[in-house]
Amino acid sequence: MAVVYFQRFPGWADQVKRARSWCEGLLTVHCAFDIPGDTVASAVLLLSEAATNAIRYTASGRGGKFDVTLMVEQRRITIEVEDEGRPAGGTTPFIRPITPMAQHGRGMTLIDYLADTWGPLPTPRHGVGFTLTWGNLPGATAAAG
């Protein structure tokens, strides 16, 4: 059975830190599941990247808000960061080509690298969701060796 948490944050840059603290607190203190520390750290980092993208690139950061839904199940965390959409209609989240000297644009690359799955939220919603897993999921078979 999944445990679902929801929080709305104003679209201000300082709220990314607040969202990180909220998520970390739920996953380490209030959660009934024994989640490994590296999985908690990855969840908090990726939430931070998704929330930063919402504030930087969408109407959320122009006087809006962003919503975070955190779902925890046995050996699985799913996080959705819903924003208020691109000001001009824009595009869905995507991985940008980056160069070593680039100062921005690594958020979706981190999400792609660390998350087990990720993608844009289903229409008509805007934002990104991702899933992290740990241990062996029920029904999973071990790889042949």
Side-chain angles (χ1 to χ4, degrees):
M1 176 186 239
V3 178
V4 180
Y5 304 95
F6 173 85
Q7 184 69 44
R8 176 166 286 160
F9 298 93
W12 307 324
D14 67 339
Q15 295 300 297
V16 173
K17 181 178 180 181
R18 190 167 153 243
R20 288 174 60 104
S21 296
W22 173 79
C23 178
E24 186 172 27
L26 289 173
L27 295 178
T28 58
V29 177
H30 301 292
C31 190
F33 300 99
D34 187 22
I35 304 170
D38 61 335
T39 303
V40 171
S42 292
V44 170
L45 172 64
L46 299 186
L47 167 59
S48 177
E49 294 297 334
T52 298
N53 283 351
I55 291 168
R56 184 172 286 155
Y57 301 115
T58 77
S60 294
R62 291 161 183 78
K65 47 104 178 126
F66 64 96
D67 295 335
V68 180
T69 304
L70 170 62
M71 294 165 274
V72 185
E73 302 174 74
Q74 190 66 28
R75 300 185 198 104
R76 182 184 329 232
I77 299 168
T78 301
I79 297 177
E80 296 179 347
V81 177
E82 185 173 357
D83 60 53
E84 293 191 333
R86 307 291 188 249
T91 62
T92 58
F94 64 97
I95 299 171
R96 295 176 182 217
I98 56 173
T99 63
M101 299 304 290
Q103 294 183 6
H104 301 287
R106 290 181 173 83
M108 293 310 300
T109 300
L110 278 171
I111 290 172
D112 184 57
Y113 182 74
L114 293 174
D116 293 298
T117 62
W118 73 272
L121 298 179
T123 305
R125 298 166 64 210
H126 302 280
V128 65
F130 58 89
T131 301
L132 299 166
T133 59
W134 65 96
N136 293 323
L137 291 173
T141 58

